[in-house]
Amino acid sequence: MSSPRNRKGIVGSVVAVLSSLRLTVLLLSLCMILIFVATLLQVEMGIHEVQLKFFRSWIAWFDIVPGEKRFPIPFPGGMLLGALLLLNLLAAHIRRFKLSWGKAGMLLVHTGIVLMLLGELFTAVLSVESQIRLDEGETSNYSLSPREIELALIGPGENGIETVNAIPFGRLREGASFGFDGFELRVTHFFRNSHIEDERLAGADYDPMRANRGMGVSLAVKGKPRETAMDLRDLTSVFVEIISPDGKSQGRWLLSNALAGVQEFEVNGKTWKMAIRQQRFYHPFSIRLLDFTHERYLGTQIPKNFSSRIRLLNPETGEDRETLIYMNHPLRYGGLTFYQAGFDNNDSTSILQVVRNPAWTMPYVSCAMVGIGLVWIFSQHLIKAFARRRTFAA
Amino acid sequence: MSRPILSLLPFLTIISLSCTEEKIRTYRVAADDASSEPVATAAVPNAPAAAGPLRWQVPEGWKEEAVGQFQTALYSLGGDAKVSVSKLPGDAGGEAANVNRWQQQVGLEPSDEVFMETVAVEDDGISVKWCQLEGKTDSIMAAIISLPDETWFFKLTAPTLSIETKAKEFSSLLTSVEFAAKAAEPPAAPAPAAAEKPGIGLDVPEGWVKSEGSAMRVASFSIPGDGTPDGDVSVIPLAGQSGTTLENVNRWRAQLQLAALASEDDPALGKKATGVSGEMLITHMVSEKNVFDDDSKGGISTAILRAGETTWFFKLGGEAELVGRNREKFEAFVLSAKLP
């Protein structure tokens, strides 16, 4: 059994390591390696996948052997490095903290860096990005995730209102089952990205499983690596079974975001609908696209300006107003920011990026703190230098 | 709490924030508007038909029939000629698999290499390809429209002897295909179709008459045939390389029933002419057999000009004698081309 003195000694040496400048240098070096490797891998994996696997993960697995054979080695991921840097910075401050005007600049700079690290953490965990795609004259009260999908199970409607159970992508895996009102939905096969083919054309590399109900009958599916290009998205396919309370299967359906529309089934005389679709985020207001304008520089195809004139309708607050969203001039409303992100269909469709980021002010605040702190430190040095020169002159 | 323990707090916060499992969200919303579901094929003849993102105009006289499992629409044109419209997710197995299947349908041997003519390539990943397969009894003309998530097939199947008589109607269906979203817009002030096409400067030879052309052509002329079939001149820009020079020349040679050139005879290795807009490869070819209904030989003169991301195809086709008479005019015409 260790004595209190020994325990204090162990804690002391752990704190000494945690607060050491050597650890800072080591962590920053590892950050550089991580960024370098991730930047190279971005070519083949795409920015989204790289962000997810290397920067927003605890362990980044580097596959160092080229070719099909896999030999991944573990490396500290962005979350781990960020957390350790934060710990390192805080431990150093807590250990050596002394409040004085002379140290105020350094304190401000470091607090700013802490805020920056926390801001990135909150952005990674709390921010949600989606898109609204509107044709001119079209109205929508929801936005869609550009990459993430969900399995939507829509209950019987009443007076035009439906109950939607949205199962997130993270919960979909082979063997997963979900209980609902009088039945169970079981995932029998799951393909993160897939190719669907008429079974008469499908080769031996296609999965032998087939649907026996719904629009997927006679279609074959094969798994594919995830799409890495920014403008492509995965076509996720799932085989699901609906199990009645007596344990009997009602059949097997193929759901995929490659198949347009919803598929129906009946349980206890009630009709349910289901579909794999891009994850939806409903808002308490709706947006109508009145006009989309795409100006180009004269005689070229180079875009000069995109703008969407929209009408914002909020039945709760009674708001009904028009506003213009254009490049570098987003609309901030209801905790969301709407950016002009793109266009389609010969300039008749506008794509708005919808961002919910509760921590969006943190980078501004942290940068301001670091800036003020640096000015403070430099001005202290300057004052000292002038004072020294005056002493020499005297 | 001691200071070192305090410093562990952010670490624990990060772990707890990043380890929560996503929950199933349940919410109540207004039922989806029925118009957001795929629109059923219109049954009224000559009314715009639509399904999913595409919409097209059904030519007069076509009769709609019950669709098969993978078909979106099926029309009977009379005389055993049928047009089917179908769509499949993704790239539907690729062009080669589909063309080989059609080859088998008209009694042709499947081949490892199939050639489809690229008719259009849009910036947003949409492309249109065309092929024609001639069997002994039946033939197929087909267009494949590839969208980012799905592939559409428009296929005309008809007896080989009568397929040409149906080609114009089929072509009118294809040129009417547009995106449903775009078609749903309120009608804008009519603008001349040519205004949307890239303007090209051309010195048009005397005697050539401007013709209607097609959606693909930026310029189209007709050369009166004086009793023989009229000559046809087209100028078509296509995105990218649009096949090698040899592939394109062999496609034109096939139209004249000439044997394909081997790679050592690739015209691209030959001398190029320099026009106003740069170097271009001009070729002339004449059929050995009589390919026209009036038992005359056919001729084709072409020029390929590659400029940046676009390949420009100039083509004069018609009866061999007419093409020969207009050979110098065609060369002067293509060399005068001033690209937009």
Side-chain angles (χ1 to χ4, degrees), chain A residues 15 87 90 94 121 135 150 160 162 164-166 171 195 197 200-201 218 233 280 344 348, chain B residues 3-4 7 10 14 22 25-29 31-32 69-70 91-93 124 149 181 185:
Chain A
V15 171
L87 205 61
L90 287 172
I94 290 171
L121 166 71
D135 292 334
E150 65 185 10
E162 289 175 332
V164 180
N165 299 284
R171 301 282 298 271
H195 181 82
E197 181 61 277
R200 291 170 299 183
L201 302 173
S218 308
R233 62 171 192 242
R280 284 188 186 185
D344 207 349
S348 66
Chain B
R3 280 179 176 182
S7 68
I14 293 170
E22 288 179 279
R25 295 180 301 145
T26 302
Y27 49 82
R28 285 164 62 77
V29 288
D32 265 358
Q69 190 182 5
F70 291 100
D91 68 354
D124 40 11
D149 292 343
E185 285 175 35

mmCIF file of all heavy atoms in Angstrom, chain A residues 15 87 90 94 121 135 150 160 162 164-166 171 195 197 200-201 218 233 280 344 348, chain B residues 3-4 7 10 14 22 25-29 31-32 69-70 91-93 124 149 181 185:
data_model
loop_
_atom_site.group_PDB
_atom_site.id
_atom_site.type_symbol
_atom_site.label_atom_id
_atom_site.label_comp_id
_atom_site.label_asym_id
_atom_site.label_seq_id
_atom_site.Cartn_x
_atom_site.Cartn_y
_atom_site.Cartn_z
ATOM 1 N N VAL A 15 2.052 15.252 -12.971
ATOM 2 C CA VAL A 15 1.761 16.662 -13.268
ATOM 3 C C VAL A 15 2.975 17.313 -13.928
ATOM 4 O O VAL A 15 2.841 18.110 -14.861
ATOM 5 C CB VAL A 15 1.343 17.409 -11.973
ATOM 6 C CG1 VAL A 15 1.254 18.901 -12.222
ATOM 7 C CG2 VAL A 15 0.020 16.879 -11.467
ATOM 8 N N LEU A 87 -4.817 19.770 -22.028
ATOM 9 C CA LEU A 87 -4.416 19.314 -20.699
ATOM 10 C C LEU A 87 -3.042 19.876 -20.335
ATOM 11 O O LEU A 87 -2.819 20.359 -19.216
ATOM 12 C CB LEU A 87 -4.352 17.779 -20.744
ATOM 13 C CG LEU A 87 -4.532 17.018 -19.457
ATOM 14 C CD1 LEU A 87 -5.900 17.306 -18.873
ATOM 15 C CD2 LEU A 87 -4.410 15.524 -19.722
ATOM 16 N N LEU A 90 -3.308 23.645 -19.648
ATOM 17 C CA LEU A 90 -3.977 23.923 -18.366
ATOM 18 C C LEU A 90 -3.122 23.487 -17.191
ATOM 19 O O LEU A 90 -3.015 24.210 -16.190
ATOM 20 C CB LEU A 90 -5.334 23.204 -18.318
ATOM 21 C CG LEU A 90 -6.421 23.811 -19.195
ATOM 22 C CD1 LEU A 90 -7.649 22.930 -19.221
ATOM 23 C CD2 LEU A 90 -6.802 25.203 -18.685
ATOM 24 N N ILE A 94 -1.963 25.909 -14.271
ATOM 25 C CA ILE A 94 -2.405 25.666 -12.898
ATOM 26 C C ILE A 94 -1.176 25.495 -11.992
ATOM 27 O O ILE A 94 -1.141 25.986 -10.862
ATOM 28 C CB ILE A 94 -3.334 24.441 -12.828
ATOM 29 C CG1 ILE A 94 -4.671 24.805 -13.498
ATOM 30 C CG2 ILE A 94 -3.586 23.983 -11.409
ATOM 31 C CD1 ILE A 94 -5.610 23.639 -13.699
ATOM 32 N N LEU A 121 -13.508 21.824 -30.339
ATOM 33 C CA LEU A 121 -14.165 20.655 -29.742
ATOM 34 C C LEU A 121 -15.696 20.804 -29.818
ATOM 35 O O LEU A 121 -16.398 19.897 -30.268
ATOM 36 C CB LEU A 121 -13.735 20.507 -28.280
ATOM 37 C CG LEU A 121 -14.599 19.550 -27.455
ATOM 38 C CD1 LEU A 121 -14.342 18.118 -27.883
ATOM 39 C CD2 LEU A 121 -14.339 19.711 -25.975
ATOM 40 N N ASP A 135 -35.989 24.853 -55.756
ATOM 41 C CA ASP A 135 -36.239 25.381 -57.093
ATOM 42 C C ASP A 135 -36.943 26.720 -56.909
ATOM 43 O O ASP A 135 -37.579 26.942 -55.874
ATOM 44 C CB ASP A 135 -37.151 24.442 -57.882
ATOM 45 C CG ASP A 135 -36.459 23.133 -58.192
ATOM 46 O OD1 ASP A 135 -35.210 23.138 -58.258
ATOM 47 O OD2 ASP A 135 -37.151 22.122 -58.361
ATOM 48 N N GLU A 150 -30.536 8.454 -43.014
ATOM 49 C CA GLU A 150 -31.313 7.937 -41.885
ATOM 50 C C GLU A 150 -32.343 6.962 -42.436
ATOM 51 O O GLU A 150 -32.696 7.010 -43.616
ATOM 52 C CB GLU A 150 -32.001 9.080 -41.130
ATOM 53 C CG GLU A 150 -33.048 9.806 -41.960
ATOM 54 C CD GLU A 150 -33.650 11.018 -41.259
ATOM 55 O OE1 GLU A 150 -33.129 11.423 -40.209
ATOM 56 O OE2 GLU A 150 -34.633 11.560 -41.785
ATOM 57 N N GLY A 160 -53.431 14.734 -41.881
ATOM 58 C CA GLY A 160 -52.281 15.269 -42.626
ATOM 59 C C GLY A 160 -51.005 15.357 -41.812
ATOM 60 O O GLY A 160 -50.012 15.916 -42.276
ATOM 61 N N GLU A 162 -47.970 13.297 -39.826
ATOM 62 C CA GLU A 162 -47.366 11.967 -39.711
ATOM 63 C C GLU A 162 -46.350 11.939 -38.568
ATOM 64 O O GLU A 162 -45.732 12.960 -38.274
ATOM 65 C CB GLU A 162 -46.628 11.620 -41.013
ATOM 66 C CG GLU A 162 -47.557 11.348 -42.181
ATOM 67 C CD GLU A 162 -46.789 11.135 -43.468
ATOM 68 O OE1 GLU A 162 -45.687 11.694 -43.598
ATOM 69 O OE2 GLU A 162 -47.292 10.420 -44.343
ATOM 70 N N VAL A 164 -42.829 10.578 -37.526
ATOM 71 C CA VAL A 164 -41.629 10.035 -38.162
ATOM 72 C C VAL A 164 -40.673 9.543 -37.082
ATOM 73 O O VAL A 164 -40.385 10.266 -36.124
ATOM 74 C CB VAL A 164 -40.923 11.111 -39.022
ATOM 75 C CG1 VAL A 164 -39.675 10.549 -39.673
ATOM 76 C CG2 VAL A 164 -41.869 11.662 -40.071
ATOM 77 N N ASN A 165 -40.203 8.305 -37.238
ATOM 78 C CA ASN A 165 -39.137 7.784 -36.380
ATOM 79 C C ASN A 165 -37.887 7.713 -37.247
ATOM 80 O O ASN A 165 -37.843 6.934 -38.190
ATOM 81 C CB ASN A 165 -39.485 6.376 -35.873
ATOM 82 C CG ASN A 165 -40.753 6.379 -35.059
ATOM 83 O OD1 ASN A 165 -40.762 6.796 -33.921
ATOM 84 N ND2 ASN A 165 -41.848 5.944 -35.672
ATOM 85 N N ALA A 166 -36.931 8.565 -36.949
ATOM 86 C CA ALA A 166 -35.726 8.625 -37.796
ATOM 87 C C ALA A 166 -34.583 7.901 -37.083
ATOM 88 O O ALA A 166 -34.088 8.364 -36.051
ATOM 89 C CB ALA A 166 -35.359 10.071 -38.066
ATOM 90 N N ARG A 171 -26.772 3.965 -35.912
ATOM 91 C CA ARG A 171 -27.449 2.835 -35.264
ATOM 92 C C ARG A 171 -27.729 1.690 -36.241
ATOM 93 O O ARG A 171 -28.206 0.636 -35.835
ATOM 94 C CB ARG A 171 -28.777 3.311 -34.650
ATOM 95 C CG ARG A 171 -28.643 4.421 -33.614
ATOM 96 C CD ARG A 171 -28.174 3.883 -32.271
ATOM 97 N NE ARG A 171 -29.105 2.939 -31.694
ATOM 98 C CZ ARG A 171 -30.113 3.249 -30.904
ATOM 99 N NH1 ARG A 171 -30.325 4.525 -30.596
ATOM 100 N NH2 ARG A 171 -30.918 2.335 -30.411
ATOM 101 N N HIS A 195 -23.899 -0.579 -54.881
ATOM 102 C CA HIS A 195 -24.335 -0.466 -56.276
ATOM 103 C C HIS A 195 -25.508 -1.427 -56.435
ATOM 104 O O HIS A 195 -25.437 -2.574 -56.011
ATOM 105 C CB HIS A 195 -23.187 -0.852 -57.206
ATOM 106 C CG HIS A 195 -23.561 -0.731 -58.636
ATOM 107 N ND1 HIS A 195 -23.525 0.466 -59.297
ATOM 108 C CD2 HIS A 195 -24.019 -1.640 -59.523
ATOM 109 C CE1 HIS A 195 -23.942 0.272 -60.536
ATOM 110 N NE2 HIS A 195 -24.239 -0.997 -60.698
ATOM 111 N N GLU A 197 -28.256 -3.325 -58.947
ATOM 112 C CA GLU A 197 -28.313 -3.797 -60.333
ATOM 113 C C GLU A 197 -29.509 -4.723 -60.513
ATOM 114 O O GLU A 197 -29.921 -5.424 -59.578
ATOM 115 C CB GLU A 197 -26.992 -4.548 -60.616
ATOM 116 C CG GLU A 197 -26.839 -5.094 -62.002
ATOM 117 C CD GLU A 197 -26.858 -4.006 -63.052
ATOM 118 O OE1 GLU A 197 -27.967 -3.586 -63.434
ATOM 119 O OE2 GLU A 197 -25.775 -3.578 -63.486
ATOM 120 N N ARG A 200 -30.704 -9.763 -63.214
ATOM 121 C CA ARG A 200 -30.344 -10.499 -64.430
ATOM 122 C C ARG A 200 -28.978 -10.053 -64.953
ATOM 123 O O ARG A 200 -28.330 -10.740 -65.717
ATOM 124 C CB ARG A 200 -31.408 -10.266 -65.512
ATOM 125 C CG ARG A 200 -32.745 -10.923 -65.173
ATOM 126 C CD ARG A 200 -33.817 -10.477 -66.117
ATOM 127 N NE ARG A 200 -34.030 -9.048 -66.054
ATOM 128 C CZ ARG A 200 -34.959 -8.381 -66.742
ATOM 129 N NH1 ARG A 200 -35.738 -9.028 -67.577
ATOM 130 N NH2 ARG A 200 -35.094 -7.083 -66.615
ATOM 131 N N LEU A 201 -28.580 -8.840 -64.571
ATOM 132 C CA LEU A 201 -27.292 -8.315 -65.036
ATOM 133 C C LEU A 201 -26.202 -8.458 -63.970
ATOM 134 O O LEU A 201 -25.037 -8.204 -64.237
ATOM 135 C CB LEU A 201 -27.426 -6.832 -65.381
ATOM 136 C CG LEU A 201 -28.455 -6.462 -66.444
ATOM 137 C CD1 LEU A 201 -28.583 -4.954 -66.534
ATOM 138 C CD2 LEU A 201 -28.030 -7.013 -67.794
ATOM 139 N N SER A 218 -36.077 -8.409 -57.185
ATOM 140 C CA SER A 218 -35.304 -8.636 -58.424
ATOM 141 C C SER A 218 -34.137 -7.674 -58.582
ATOM 142 O O SER A 218 -33.593 -7.534 -59.670
ATOM 143 C CB SER A 218 -36.174 -8.530 -59.675
ATOM 144 O OG SER A 218 -37.281 -9.339 -59.573
ATOM 145 N N ARG A 233 -22.147 11.302 -53.236
ATOM 146 C CA ARG A 233 -22.516 10.794 -51.922
ATOM 147 C C ARG A 233 -22.725 9.289 -52.009
ATOM 148 O O ARG A 233 -22.952 8.738 -53.084
ATOM 149 C CB ARG A 233 -23.751 11.502 -51.395
ATOM 150 C CG ARG A 233 -24.986 11.295 -52.244
ATOM 151 C CD ARG A 233 -26.190 11.847 -51.514
ATOM 152 N NE ARG A 233 -27.389 11.413 -52.172
ATOM 153 C CZ ARG A 233 -28.271 12.229 -52.734
ATOM 154 N NH1 ARG A 233 -28.082 13.512 -52.721
ATOM 155 N NH2 ARG A 233 -29.357 11.756 -53.312
ATOM 156 N N ARG A 280 -32.876 14.305 -42.376
ATOM 157 C CA ARG A 280 -33.645 15.554 -42.444
ATOM 158 C C ARG A 280 -33.599 16.306 -41.120
ATOM 159 O O ARG A 280 -33.663 15.704 -40.054
ATOM 160 C CB ARG A 280 -35.105 15.262 -42.761
ATOM 161 C CG ARG A 280 -35.352 14.909 -44.197
ATOM 162 C CD ARG A 280 -36.848 14.842 -44.459
ATOM 163 N NE ARG A 280 -37.093 14.356 -45.801
ATOM 164 C CZ ARG A 280 -38.296 14.290 -46.350
ATOM 165 N NH1 ARG A 280 -39.348 14.683 -45.658
ATOM 166 N NH2 ARG A 280 -38.455 13.838 -47.585
ATOM 167 N N ASP A 344 -27.967 24.932 -59.377
ATOM 168 C CA ASP A 344 -28.133 23.778 -60.259
ATOM 169 C C ASP A 344 -29.206 24.089 -61.294
ATOM 170 O O ASP A 344 -29.833 25.148 -61.247
ATOM 171 C CB ASP A 344 -28.539 22.567 -59.400
ATOM 172 C CG ASP A 344 -28.112 21.252 -60.036
ATOM 173 O OD1 ASP A 344 -27.708 21.284 -61.204
ATOM 174 O OD2 ASP A 344 -28.185 20.209 -59.365
ATOM 175 N N SER A 348 -31.722 27.650 -61.986
ATOM 176 C CA SER A 348 -33.085 27.799 -61.469
ATOM 177 C C SER A 348 -33.225 27.142 -60.098
ATOM 178 O O SER A 348 -34.277 27.185 -59.500
ATOM 179 C CB SER A 348 -34.097 27.212 -62.447
ATOM 180 O OG SER A 348 -33.911 25.826 -62.538
ATOM 181 N N ARG B 3 -5.300 21.267 -7.688
ATOM 182 C CA ARG B 3 -5.100 21.847 -9.014
ATOM 183 C C ARG B 3 -4.892 20.795 -10.120
ATOM 184 O O ARG B 3 -5.490 20.881 -11.187
ATOM 185 C CB ARG B 3 -3.925 22.808 -8.978
ATOM 186 C CG ARG B 3 -4.307 24.161 -8.412
ATOM 187 C CD ARG B 3 -3.087 25.038 -8.377
ATOM 188 N NE ARG B 3 -3.406 26.361 -7.924
ATOM 189 C CZ ARG B 3 -2.499 27.334 -7.843
ATOM 190 N NH1 ARG B 3 -1.248 27.105 -8.183
ATOM 191 N NH2 ARG B 3 -2.847 28.523 -7.437
ATOM 192 N N PRO B 4 -4.017 19.769 -9.864
ATOM 193 C CA PRO B 4 -3.820 18.771 -10.940
ATOM 194 C C PRO B 4 -5.105 18.068 -11.334
ATOM 195 O O PRO B 4 -5.339 17.778 -12.485
ATOM 196 C CB PRO B 4 -2.821 17.790 -10.327
ATOM 197 C CG PRO B 4 -2.126 18.559 -9.280
ATOM 198 C CD PRO B 4 -3.105 19.512 -8.728
ATOM 199 N N SER B 7 -7.173 20.073 -13.699
ATOM 200 C CA SER B 7 -6.713 20.096 -15.090
ATOM 201 C C SER B 7 -7.227 18.906 -15.901
ATOM 202 O O SER B 7 -7.199 18.905 -17.116
ATOM 203 C CB SER B 7 -5.185 20.144 -15.148
ATOM 204 O OG SER B 7 -4.678 18.921 -14.668
ATOM 205 N N PRO B 10 -11.231 19.131 -18.404
ATOM 206 C CA PRO B 10 -11.541 19.240 -19.842
ATOM 207 C C PRO B 10 -11.392 17.917 -20.577
ATOM 208 O O PRO B 10 -12.142 17.620 -21.503
ATOM 209 C CB PRO B 10 -10.521 20.264 -20.352
ATOM 210 C CG PRO B 10 -9.494 20.376 -19.299
ATOM 211 C CD PRO B 10 -10.151 20.030 -18.021
ATOM 212 N N ILE B 14 -14.310 16.161 -22.783
ATOM 213 C CA ILE B 14 -14.180 15.778 -24.194
ATOM 214 C C ILE B 14 -14.621 14.338 -24.393
ATOM 215 O O ILE B 14 -15.395 14.026 -25.304
ATOM 216 C CB ILE B 14 -12.712 15.954 -24.673
ATOM 217 C CG1 ILE B 14 -12.343 17.428 -24.686
ATOM 218 C CG2 ILE B 14 -12.526 15.369 -26.065
ATOM 219 C CD1 ILE B 14 -10.888 17.694 -24.905
ATOM 220 N N GLU B 22 -25.958 8.144 -30.798
ATOM 221 C CA GLU B 22 -27.039 8.909 -31.414
ATOM 222 C C GLU B 22 -28.383 8.269 -31.087
ATOM 223 O O GLU B 22 -28.499 7.043 -31.072
ATOM 224 C CB GLU B 22 -26.853 8.921 -32.926
ATOM 225 C CG GLU B 22 -25.712 9.781 -33.397
ATOM 226 C CD GLU B 22 -25.588 9.710 -34.895
ATOM 227 O OE1 GLU B 22 -24.998 8.724 -35.376
ATOM 228 O OE2 GLU B 22 -26.104 10.594 -35.575
ATOM 229 N N ARG B 25 -34.701 9.774 -33.418
ATOM 230 C CA ARG B 25 -35.521 10.983 -33.252
ATOM 231 C C ARG B 25 -36.954 10.671 -33.664
ATOM 232 O O ARG B 25 -37.183 10.029 -34.689
ATOM 233 C CB ARG B 25 -34.989 12.117 -34.135
ATOM 234 C CG ARG B 25 -33.600 12.595 -33.732
ATOM 235 C CD ARG B 25 -33.145 13.715 -34.633
ATOM 236 N NE ARG B 25 -33.109 13.305 -36.035
ATOM 237 C CZ ARG B 25 -33.394 14.099 -37.055
ATOM 238 N NH1 ARG B 25 -33.762 15.340 -36.852
ATOM 239 N NH2 ARG B 25 -33.311 13.661 -38.296
ATOM 240 N N THR B 26 -37.889 11.108 -32.854
ATOM 241 C CA THR B 26 -39.302 10.941 -33.222
ATOM 242 C C THR B 26 -39.940 12.318 -33.258
ATOM 243 O O THR B 26 -39.787 13.095 -32.316
ATOM 244 C CB THR B 26 -40.021 10.045 -32.196
ATOM 245 O OG1 THR B 26 -39.335 8.797 -32.147
ATOM 246 C CG2 THR B 26 -41.471 9.807 -32.589
ATOM 247 N N TYR B 27 -40.579 12.635 -34.363
ATOM 248 C CA TYR B 27 -41.230 13.941 -34.469
ATOM 249 C C TYR B 27 -42.457 13.828 -35.346
ATOM 250 O O TYR B 27 -42.621 12.870 -36.103
ATOM 251 C CB TYR B 27 -40.259 14.997 -35.016
ATOM 252 C CG TYR B 27 -39.508 14.586 -36.257
ATOM 253 C CD1 TYR B 27 -40.092 14.691 -37.519
ATOM 254 C CD2 TYR B 27 -38.219 14.089 -36.169
ATOM 255 C CE1 TYR B 27 -39.395 14.312 -38.655
ATOM 256 C CE2 TYR B 27 -37.525 13.701 -37.290
ATOM 257 C CZ TYR B 27 -38.106 13.821 -38.539
ATOM 258 O OH TYR B 27 -37.424 13.435 -39.658
ATOM 259 N N ARG B 28 -43.325 14.834 -35.200
ATOM 260 C CA ARG B 28 -44.558 14.855 -35.997
ATOM 261 C C ARG B 28 -44.463 15.993 -37.000
ATOM 262 O O ARG B 28 -44.149 17.122 -36.631
ATOM 263 C CB ARG B 28 -45.776 15.043 -35.074
ATOM 264 C CG ARG B 28 -46.119 13.773 -34.292
ATOM 265 C CD ARG B 28 -47.039 14.058 -33.140
ATOM 266 N NE ARG B 28 -48.338 14.594 -33.546
ATOM 267 C CZ ARG B 28 -49.332 13.858 -34.050
ATOM 268 N NH1 ARG B 28 -49.164 12.570 -34.218
ATOM 269 N NH2 ARG B 28 -50.471 14.398 -34.388
ATOM 270 N N VAL B 29 -44.718 15.663 -38.253
ATOM 271 C CA VAL B 29 -44.639 16.682 -39.313
ATOM 272 C C VAL B 29 -45.819 16.515 -40.259
ATOM 273 O O VAL B 29 -46.471 15.462 -40.288
ATOM 274 C CB VAL B 29 -43.341 16.557 -40.146
ATOM 275 C CG1 VAL B 29 -42.139 16.999 -39.374
ATOM 276 C CG2 VAL B 29 -43.164 15.161 -40.690
ATOM 277 N N ALA B 31 -47.645 15.650 -43.538
ATOM 278 C CA ALA B 31 -47.326 14.596 -44.509
ATOM 279 C C ALA B 31 -46.652 15.196 -45.722
ATOM 280 O O ALA B 31 -46.979 16.315 -46.135
ATOM 281 C CB ALA B 31 -48.612 13.888 -44.919
ATOM 282 N N ASP B 32 -45.687 14.449 -46.274
ATOM 283 C CA ASP B 32 -44.978 14.921 -47.463
ATOM 284 C C ASP B 32 -45.967 15.203 -48.572
ATOM 285 O O ASP B 32 -46.900 14.447 -48.806
ATOM 286 C CB ASP B 32 -44.006 13.832 -47.943
ATOM 287 C CG ASP B 32 -42.629 14.072 -47.372
ATOM 288 O OD1 ASP B 32 -42.459 15.071 -46.667
ATOM 289 O OD2 ASP B 32 -41.741 13.235 -47.637
ATOM 290 N N GLN B 69 -41.421 -4.640 -65.667
ATOM 291 C CA GLN B 69 -40.905 -4.457 -64.309
ATOM 292 C C GLN B 69 -39.929 -3.285 -64.175
ATOM 293 O O GLN B 69 -39.944 -2.559 -63.209
ATOM 294 C CB GLN B 69 -40.234 -5.750 -63.861
ATOM 295 C CG GLN B 69 -39.889 -5.747 -62.389
ATOM 296 C CD GLN B 69 -39.194 -7.015 -61.978
ATOM 297 O OE1 GLN B 69 -38.888 -7.853 -62.801
ATOM 298 N NE2 GLN B 69 -38.953 -7.159 -60.706
ATOM 299 N N PHE B 70 -39.048 -3.138 -65.148
ATOM 300 C CA PHE B 70 -38.030 -2.096 -65.018
ATOM 301 C C PHE B 70 -38.313 -0.894 -65.897
ATOM 302 O O PHE B 70 -37.468 -0.031 -66.047
ATOM 303 C CB PHE B 70 -36.643 -2.670 -65.353
ATOM 304 C CG PHE B 70 -36.184 -3.632 -64.314
ATOM 305 C CD1 PHE B 70 -36.292 -4.989 -64.530
ATOM 306 C CD2 PHE B 70 -35.706 -3.182 -63.101
ATOM 307 C CE1 PHE B 70 -35.893 -5.872 -63.554
ATOM 308 C CE2 PHE B 70 -35.312 -4.061 -62.113
ATOM 309 C CZ PHE B 70 -35.410 -5.417 -62.340
ATOM 310 N N ASP B 91 -24.881 3.390 -62.280
ATOM 311 C CA ASP B 91 -24.557 3.385 -63.709
ATOM 312 C C ASP B 91 -25.176 2.180 -64.407
ATOM 313 O O ASP B 91 -24.853 1.881 -65.556
ATOM 314 C CB ASP B 91 -23.038 3.445 -63.923
ATOM 315 C CG ASP B 91 -22.348 2.169 -63.452
ATOM 316 O OD1 ASP B 91 -23.029 1.309 -62.859
ATOM 317 O OD2 ASP B 91 -21.140 2.026 -63.679
ATOM 318 N N ALA B 92 -26.082 1.462 -63.721
ATOM 319 C CA ALA B 92 -26.865 0.372 -64.312
ATOM 320 C C ALA B 92 -25.979 -0.688 -64.963
ATOM 321 O O ALA B 92 -26.322 -1.257 -65.996
ATOM 322 C CB ALA B 92 -27.859 0.927 -65.320
ATOM 323 N N GLY B 93 -24.851 -0.938 -64.362
ATOM 324 C CA GLY B 93 -23.989 -1.994 -64.872
ATOM 325 C C GLY B 93 -23.005 -1.538 -65.926
ATOM 326 O O GLY B 93 -22.186 -2.313 -66.415
ATOM 327 N N ASP B 124 -22.535 19.174 -64.535
ATOM 328 C CA ASP B 124 -22.948 18.566 -63.277
ATOM 329 C C ASP B 124 -23.004 17.049 -63.335
ATOM 330 O O ASP B 124 -23.798 16.413 -62.654
ATOM 331 C CB ASP B 124 -24.305 19.134 -62.830
ATOM 332 C CG ASP B 124 -25.252 19.305 -64.005
ATOM 333 O OD1 ASP B 124 -24.912 18.786 -65.077
ATOM 334 O OD2 ASP B 124 -26.298 19.933 -63.841
ATOM 335 N N ASP B 149 -26.978 9.947 -59.927
ATOM 336 C CA ASP B 149 -27.403 8.816 -59.105
ATOM 337 C C ASP B 149 -28.081 7.701 -59.878
ATOM 338 O O ASP B 149 -28.316 6.630 -59.329
ATOM 339 C CB ASP B 149 -28.418 9.281 -58.038
ATOM 340 C CG ASP B 149 -27.773 10.175 -57.022
ATOM 341 O OD1 ASP B 149 -26.540 10.164 -56.969
ATOM 342 O OD2 ASP B 149 -28.490 10.878 -56.306
ATOM 343 N N ALA B 181 -37.883 19.688 -63.003
ATOM 344 C CA ALA B 181 -37.813 20.909 -62.195
ATOM 345 C C ALA B 181 -37.762 22.131 -63.089
ATOM 346 O O ALA B 181 -38.411 23.133 -62.861
ATOM 347 C CB ALA B 181 -36.603 20.868 -61.289
ATOM 348 N N GLU B 185 -40.983 25.419 -64.217
ATOM 349 C CA GLU B 185 -40.862 26.863 -64.044
ATOM 350 C C GLU B 185 -41.974 27.577 -64.799
ATOM 351 O O GLU B 185 -42.442 27.098 -65.816
ATOM 352 C CB GLU B 185 -39.551 27.345 -64.679
ATOM 353 C CG GLU B 185 -38.346 27.010 -63.888
ATOM 354 C CD GLU B 185 -37.120 27.430 -64.667
ATOM 355 O OE1 GLU B 185 -37.152 28.444 -65.369
ATOM 356 O OE2 GLU B 185 -36.137 26.700 -64.579
#
